[in-house]
Amino acid sequence: MSNKIALEKRQPRYSLEQANSMLGLIRDVIGQLQDAAAVSDAESDQLAFFEKRKASVGRAEFDDEFEDVRSDLLSTRNVHRQCLEELQSLSVSIDPEDFTHVDIAGSLDGKPIVWCWRTDEPNITHWHLIGQGLADRRSI
């Protein structure tokens, strides 16, 4: 996928058993990412409202609220960044647009591959070669 955060070749590679054992943690981090994305969207909408309101009224009556929301948005974006960094430290790549397709750096028969997991699946049941995507996944 073009939007996916790339897995680096030097990152650890996991066996299928190891990758499956990480799914609970990965689900938790993805949940935090989804929450942060929803909050970020709402905060961005609030900022746009305050900017539009301030422009139309021409007064600084919204300055305090604007700064509060701006600060909250920066904090939320920091949480989002930290979640992505945590996944990357685990050799996990996720599509940052929809959070449903997860790639985990793996090894199969001694060769580097990518374990391909969709968040609606209970376990990892597919893999693909490095550089390929969801359409190229193969059953284990």
Side-chain angles (χ1 to χ4, degrees):
M1 305 183 93
S2 61
N3 290 334
K4 288 194 73 129
I5 298 162
L7 292 174
E8 297 178 29
K9 290 184 179 182
R10 69 179 183 273
Q11 290 180 309
R13 300 216 163 261
Y14 299 99
S15 69
L16 177 60
E17 182 179 336
Q18 291 169 324
N20 272 319
S21 72
M22 296 187 332
L23 294 184
L25 173 60
I26 294 169
R27 280 186 186 100
D28 289 345
V29 175
I30 290 172
Q32 293 172 23
L33 268 173
Q34 290 170 321
D35 292 346
V39 169
S40 179
D41 288 346
E43 290 167 343
S44 293
D45 290 346
Q46 284 181 305
L47 276 182
F49 168 79
F50 286 130
E51 286 175 340
K52 184 186 265 187
R53 192 75 176 131
K54 187 176 176 180
S56 68
V57 173
R59 289 181 275 160
E61 71 181 81
F62 295 107
D63 282 351
D64 290 341
E65 291 91 346
F66 179 85
E67 285 305 314
D68 288 345
V69 173
R70 190 178 73 75
S71 176
D72 291 345
L73 180 59
L74 291 174
S75 178
T76 301
R77 287 183 177 165
N78 189 45
V79 168
H80 188 269
R81 181 187 53 74
Q82 289 172 341
C83 288
L84 291 175
E85 286 174 357
E86 182 173 2
L87 290 174
Q88 190 173 26
S89 76
L90 296 169
S91 300
V92 173
S93 175
I94 186 167
D95 184 335
E97 299 298 318
D98 73 4
F99 309 118
T100 62
H101 175 207
V102 178
D103 284 344
I104 304 169
S107 178
L108 183 63
D109 298 329
K111 296 179 183 173
I113 55 100
V114 177
W115 299 116
C116 180
W117 176 63
R118 292 191 49 89
T119 56
D120 60 350
E121 298 170 339
N123 299 315
I124 298 168
T125 57
H126 292 80
W127 66 279
H128 58 74
L129 297 174
I130 296 171
Q132 293 182 334
L134 192 60
D136 302 303
R137 45 189 239 154
R138 305 168 190 182
S139 293
I140 296 172

